[in-house]
Every structure is written in structure tokens, then in C-alpha cells.
Amino acid sequence: MQIVRAEEMYEWDRRAMDEYGREGHILMENAGRALAGRIRRKFPEEEKFLVLIGGGNNGGDGYVIARILKDQGFDVTAVQVVPDEKIEGDALYHKNVYTKSGYDLAELTEQEWSRSTVVIDAMLGIGVKGPLRPPFDDLVRDVNRSRVHRVSIDIPSGLPADEGEEEFEAVKADTTFIVQAPKLSFFTEHTSGYYGEAEVVDIGLPPLSVTGPARKWRAEEDVKAGYPRLPASAHKGSRGKGLLIGGAQMMPGALVMAAKASIRAGAGLTTAATVPGNIPSAAGTLPEVMFMGTEEADGVISGIDTDSLTGKDGVAAGIGMGRKEPGRAVIETLLKETKAPLLIDADGLYHLRFLLDVLTERKEVTVVTPHVKEMADLTGKSTGEVKRKPFSISREFAEDYGVYVVLKGPHTIITAPDGRQIVESSGNEGLAKGGSGDVLTGILLTMLMQHDQPLEALANGCFLHGKSAELLTAGERTVYDLLPTDVVEGLSSVFHTYIEE
């Protein structure tokens, strides 16, 4: 599913009318009918609806929704919250249809607020920028103070559609019915919570053609259709030979979890490289994994035998490595000597920010998997700016350094060096625990070895990780007690549920 900026949504509407010959008032009728249908299915007939109608397309949709619900016998009060001169074009057409259908407009009174059980916010659309002006500032506050179920049409009124806005005041919706495609603000941390429970409603627009790199929201059916199947001739060599590097003397668990996740995700041969003192206990825990010792200084990895990189289909480094100075030389060596896809995570990202000039010279596939703070450190931005502009900051870094970026969060944004982006939203709060990222690293390593396209590999790996958490917390685990090692074991259920026929 395409993710759009406000101007792209406007262009989509324009092309539907100018190039496909679809009249604006018909598009608005289709949108309003589709939205009314979703509202009708969500709420029982005894609800009392208050529809707040503004100008523009959002208000026009409100007129159609109010009319359709009234036609079908629902208790609906419609209030136009802007002067008549603000209702024009297709919205005016549908206002006239509404009134010619014998329906009245009401005044917004305390009585109307008190009798309503659902308020439908059709006041402002996707073009809002900056502080709200009267009457919308007061109306938004009134909606938020109300004790009714708040439904927003397309986007909560007052909320920016795009990323980057810091100051705004908006409706805090319980439910949002998004028109045709989600907007960027649905995925940014400081704005996504305003949407409440959200659903995208297809209103029948023709396919969207974008001039820039595409942004897509990953769907379950995309994973099932594009996941590589094992041929009958598969053997351990064809399933990927991977190398994981990490685990300082005091942090062996990170490497153990990553290695276990890699083999559980389906890797053919996994080797874990760590300081020699970690190997006896780790090998006893993971008999399926091969181990090799590294050079060591002060309990951390200080060097790696470059011969161990030969013949590998993927390498991942940084988990539990530590931030002491010797680790930097290891990451530099890997950047220069690894000819297979290289994934850098955790402490490896700390060292990488001092090696960006070396990163620029690397030609092979490189993946970085930062969370917001790590992305801020890599780019020199503040964490607040990364939260506000995750799409553009990820894209700029990916394009500048020729890398794949997996910006981890509730909505993980995966970016290719050419600017294409996939959002993967699987997972839940149970993953907010130390070690979850190490598990993801192991899964992603396996995916990189088994897919032809790195962007698809990373998206599928994030899906496996997130869906494992979802399935586990739908059963015997909760978001409170879920462990990263549980997520590893839960991969089997994900394969059974979503991948196997």
C-alpha cells in the first residue's frame, strides 16, 4: 500500500479527474459512501452521531456521510462549522444534495454535545499547517474534552499530514478512517497516537504514479507472496553461510540470542565469532552453531581473522561488542574486507559514526539497523528531529552513504540506497526490551542470505520478528513478560501461520 505526502494525495485526486475523466463530485460521493459504510459496520444503530462539517474535501465527505447515514435510519445531527462562503466546489454540490434530500443543519449547542455518543470529525483535511485559527482551535478542544467516541475522517483535524511539524493542536481520535492511502504522519512517533485505531478505506481511485522513490506500507499478503520457498534440493550450503561477530566478555548473551535467531530463521551454517572466554558457555547453549575466537583486548574484540570472511554469504557485527576503542578497528576492517552483505548493529553503530568516510567507499551491500538515538548519533541530528522526520532523514542517509537503513520503532522504516522505503508495522510493546534488537539482527542476517533483493529481505525479517511477538502475546505470553528468547522460539509459529501453504 502506497504512503503519500499531502501534495501527492492532491495530485492523485487531480489525475483521477483530469486524466481519468472522473468528476470530482462523483469521487466525493464514492468516498463518502465508502466511509459511511465503514462507520455503519463499526457502530450499532442506537448510536447518536454528531457530524462536524468544515470546508474543502473533508467537509464534503462529511455531508455525504451524514446523508448516507440518515438515509439508512441512523440518528445523525449535522453541523456546518464554517461560514457558507467557505463551502464551495464539490463540497457545495453535496451540501445541496444533503438539503434537497430534506435534511437540516443544526446549531452546535450544549444539548447536541450531550445527546451525542459518536462525534464524526470532518472539519479539516490534509492541508493544515501551523496553529489552528478560529473556530477550529476551540472546536478541536471541545472534541477532545467530549466523552464520546471520536471518529476522524482521513486525518484528525489539526494534525499535519506530512512529517516535520513540531507544534500543532489536533483532535485525539479514537478511530480514524484514512482515505485511500496513509499519510506520513500516521507513522511518525509524535503524531501517530492521534489517529487512534486506524483503518484505510479504499474509495476507488485509479492507481497512483509517483515521480520519486516509492514509500510502501507492508501487508501480510506481500510477505506470503514474496517469501522465497525452499526447493527440494536445498542443503545447508544453499541456505546461507553466515558470520556473527560480537559479544564482549561481559556481554555474551547478545551474540547467543542473535546466533540462535539466525539458525531458527533458517540459516544453513552460522558461525559466531567472539572473545575466547565466551566460547565454552555459548557453545554449550548452541550446539548447532560453530564458534571461533577473535583477538581480544581488555575483554572486547580487538581483531578478526579476515580469512574467516571468505566464503560467507552474510556478515553481521556489533551486537554486544562494547564501545571501547579496539572495536573501531574491527568495524573498519569489516567495512574494507567483507565482500558479502554486511549488517552493522548496536555497538557497531557507535563505532561506525567515526568511520563514515570508510563507509562511503564500500561497494557491497551494507545494512545499518539503528533505533532513534543511534540514528541521531549517526546523522548529527537530535533525537527529536529524527522522531519528527524519520522518512527524510533515513532516505538522506541511505542515499548519501549507499546503505540500507532499518530505522527501528513501532513503525520500522526500511530504506534502500535508491530512496525506496517500506514501512513494517508488525510487533508490539513486548519488544521494548533489551535483546530484542539482537534477535532481529540474527533474523535479518539469515534473510539477507536467502533473498535476492535486500530491501525485501529486510522487510520480511522485520515481519518475522514482529509477528512472532504478536502471536506469542495473543497466546500464553503478555507484553509484560515477553522475552527476546521467546521471540526466537515463536518464529516457528510465524512460519506455520504466514509462510507455509
Side-chain angles (χ1 to χ4, degrees), residues 304-312 315 329-342 358 361-364:
I304 184 88
D305 183 358
T306 55
D307 288 343
S308 67
L309 304 174
T310 303
K312 296 298 186 291
V315 177
V330 177
I331 297 299
E332 183 173 3
T333 297
L334 294 174
L335 289 171
K336 292 178 177 178
E337 302 296 334
T338 306
K339 304 308 177 186
L342 171 64
V358 182
E361 298 171 1
R362 182 171 161 78
K363 304 302 180 185
E364 294 81 9

Side-chain angles (χ1 to χ4, degrees), residues 25 36 89-90 189 212-213 222 236 272 275 283 326 342 491:
H25 69 274
D90 297 322
E189 184 174 327
D222 297 329
K236 62 185 179 182
V275 295
L342 171 64
L491 291 174

